[in-house]
Amino acid sequence: MYALIAANNRIRGPQSALTDFLASNNISAAQITADYDRRQREARQREQEEAAANGEAIEQQQEEDEERAEIEAAAQKKKRKRQQETALTKVKEGKAKKKQKKRKGDDSDGGDSDVTWDMYTKKKPLPGQLENCEECDKRFTVTPYSKTGPEGGLLCVKCSKEQTAQEKKNQKAKKPAVSRDKRRQVQSNLLDGIVQIGAKSLQDICIKEVANNILDIDEFGDLPQELLNPLSQILSRRRAITSRTLDLFLRSDLDTIDLYDCGKLETEDYIRIFSVVSNIRNLNLRNAGQFKDEVIDYIIERSIPIKTLQLEAANLVSNDKWTQFFMNCGEPLEFLKLTWLDYSMDDDAFSHLIRYCPNLTRLKLKKCFRLTDAALSAIKDLKQLERLSLRFPTPTSSDALAELISKIGPNLRTLSLENFTDADDDVLSTIHTSCTQLSKLRFTENDYCTDAGFVGLFTEWSNPPLAFIDLSSNRSVDYSMPDGPEVPTGLASAGFEALMEHSGARLEHLDISSCRHITYETFSNIFDGKNQYPFLKDINISFLTKIDTAIAAGMFRSCPELIKVTAFGCFNVIDVAVPKGVALIGVPNAQDSIVQEGDVDADLF
Amino acid sequence: MNTPSTSPYVTLISSDGFEFIVSRDAACVAGTIKKMLDPQSAGVVLEKVCEYLYYNLKHKDAKDVPDMEIPPELCLELLMAADYLHV
């Protein structure tokens, strides 16, 4: 035995079926590998020679070399191809047999067969070599970027490009099948409070289509005014209001221009608005950074009697120009809204506003950095004022605010006071005594007023029930006491109960977000499913972490007209059944909300 | 309202059956009638409106309805028609 092994003197590992098969056909795997290596070596050598020849830069010789190489390559290729073909057919047969064997359970496959197989697949020429295109049979130089054709061969530059174009086309054609965009759109709509059931109106679809093709439209024709506004909104949202698209909105028969994003308009564009739409009475320009002194000059020169003026971010107008504007054009002004003027208007210019605009019924001022207590007190001289909306970035005194409200309060229909951090319970009691015909009240971002102050405001208030109440962020901000101080600060349980007692019957919009001292018991009493708030459509309960699924469900029963619930940060609201047509925003839920079909009362508890 | 567009007169029919023949110019003083008689609101637009009416009915209670395809060249005219018809 020993002698026999010694005679063979070879230790052999497991052999693949292919190796066996090849050996039986007198084909040695080692020989083939050696041949393959040699051919590779030759190809490399030839390449190096060619490169060297190129280096000598003798064009003629290079051409000769190339020709020779070509002929050689062609001849070799033909030979190789023949060899490959015969080998391939044999290997294929072998593979088929091997598969049969495999099925029988003989699984002694060595890794070497794969290597062997790789060698017999159509060999790809190395970059720099010449090859015939698989598609068009043209001869071309192979580059690292050459594409593989459908049969495995290489493609010329032209055919490669065509293939890439085709692939892109196919990808594009596939895209609509992916619903991610649509899902994103649904979520985006939900954040806007839009829950669409059924098709959009034909108007909405058309407006969207017009906006999509805005660059191909030369004029809107006699499109009615009320359709221009949604068009302006959608174009502003896409930041597509430019000098060119502005022209579409300018028609001499109009008296109203609403543009919600003027970021791309230049000073001349604003002047053009007034020269084309010479009858303009209502002007609403947001993000109007380039609305400068020259524009005001033009308005004064033409003495255009503007009734409604809303300007946002017109912070390059000088104080003198504001003064001139109010002196010349103040009389007809009825509604003035100035926001984000930054450092553009000071108390002095503002005093001219008060003096020369006696007919103002609506005044809204936000983020005008240089207005102080003096401006706040000056507002009391606007005798016609019915709607007042203020947000002062500078600290103002509680007394000045209380005094203002006591003077103009009786005439006010809406009052919005944002971020008056120093206002105290006196302001609330002044609102209680002075304001008797409010339909909208906003008093936000304050940590000074107490719950008792809010109870005092809403208890036995001679003002009829309000339709709109926003008391968000009235809470203690001392986070060392998460449950709030002993004496409840901000809108807490008693204040909220007094609010709902006073206005619940007519309330449409309610924002109590971040009023974190309202207790769970109060919520469950207010939204017990039996109390009815028949007009409540929109409610914001964000960051009221005590609210849970049961209270949310009770809310849906207590407010039959509800269409929008904003509930960011309400982590205890989980898998609540949302009635049909209600947008529940902000509740973390990877799934679509569970929309309840049919009757709301069916199965809430 | 079905008078051919060449006729200088139009017939207005009331809901209780009275017919009034008035000149086209006179009738067109009324904006709504003018819009109705406008030859612009012809075949293609009306066809699209009808398509929408059925599309709307079909997706009455569905969620996430895909928008109906609107040929860009028609969108303005169709918008006017939609505004007029309140759809």
Side-chain angles (χ1 to χ4, degrees), chain A residues 148-340:
Chain A
T148 314
E151 304 287 325
L154 290 168
L155 298 177
C156 72
V157 180
K158 197 179 153 224
C159 294
S160 289
K161 274 184 185 164
E162 275 171 9
Q163 199 200 28
T164 321
Q166 191 59 40
E167 274 170 9
K168 270 190 186 162
K169 218 176 171 182
N170 289 346
Q171 272 179 352
K172 262 184 197 164
K174 269 180 203 165
K175 254 186 184 167
V178 183
S179 66
R180 192 186 291 165
D181 277 4
K182 198 172 135 195
R183 204 183 138 100
R184 193 187 160 282
Q185 190 58 45
V186 169
Q187 289 300 321
S188 166
N189 282 342
L190 186 63
L191 281 177
D192 291 337
I194 302 166
V195 177
Q196 186 77 39
I197 298 199
K200 284 198 194 95
S201 78
L202 183 56
Q203 276 188 38
D204 289 348
I205 299 174
C206 288
I207 285 171
K208 207 172 156 192
E209 191 63 31
V210 171
N212 287 342
N213 297 287
I214 196 71
L215 292 177
D216 299 327
I217 290 171
D218 295 325
E219 55 170 327
F220 284 151
D222 48 356
L223 214 58
Q225 174 78 54
E226 58 272 22
L227 288 180
L228 291 177
N229 195 32
L231 261 172
S232 169
Q233 283 172 342
I234 195 166
L235 291 175
S236 297
R237 189 172 178 162
R238 297 177 184 189
R239 306 217 72 174
I241 302 280
T242 59
S243 228
R244 191 207 167 286
T245 46
L246 172 68
D247 283 336
L248 300 172
F249 288 93
L250 302 184
R251 258 176 18 212
S252 55
D253 60 316
L254 297 175
D255 66 353
T256 302
I257 297 286
D258 292 293
L259 299 171
Y260 299 90
D261 178 61
C262 304
K264 290 182 178 167
L265 297 187
E266 299 295 333
T267 310
E268 304 82 66
D269 296 323
Y270 295 109
I271 293 178
R272 206 166 71 246
I273 294 178
F274 296 101
S275 64
V276 178
V277 194
S278 50
N279 287 322
I280 192 155
R281 294 293 172 268
N282 310 305
L283 184 64
N284 178 7
L285 303 174
R286 310 269 178 94
N287 201 4
Q290 298 299 310
F291 191 98
K292 295 191 207 164
D293 284 4
E294 294 95 298
V295 187
I296 302 256
D297 278 335
Y298 191 87
I299 300 173
I300 295 172
E301 190 186 306
R302 295 290 185 96
S303 57
I304 299 167
I306 300 175
K307 286 207 286 192
T308 302
L309 179 63
Q310 303 183 57
L311 282 178
E312 186 194 62
N315 53 17
L316 295 173
V317 181
S318 66
N319 271 310
D320 290 347
K321 209 47 79 180
W322 280 124
T323 307
Q324 276 183 37
F325 173 71
F326 295 132
M327 287 168 83
N328 291 284
C329 304
E331 188 79 19
L333 266 182
E334 290 171 12
F335 173 19
L336 182 63
K337 178 176 175 179
L338 300 172
T339 50
W340 287 103

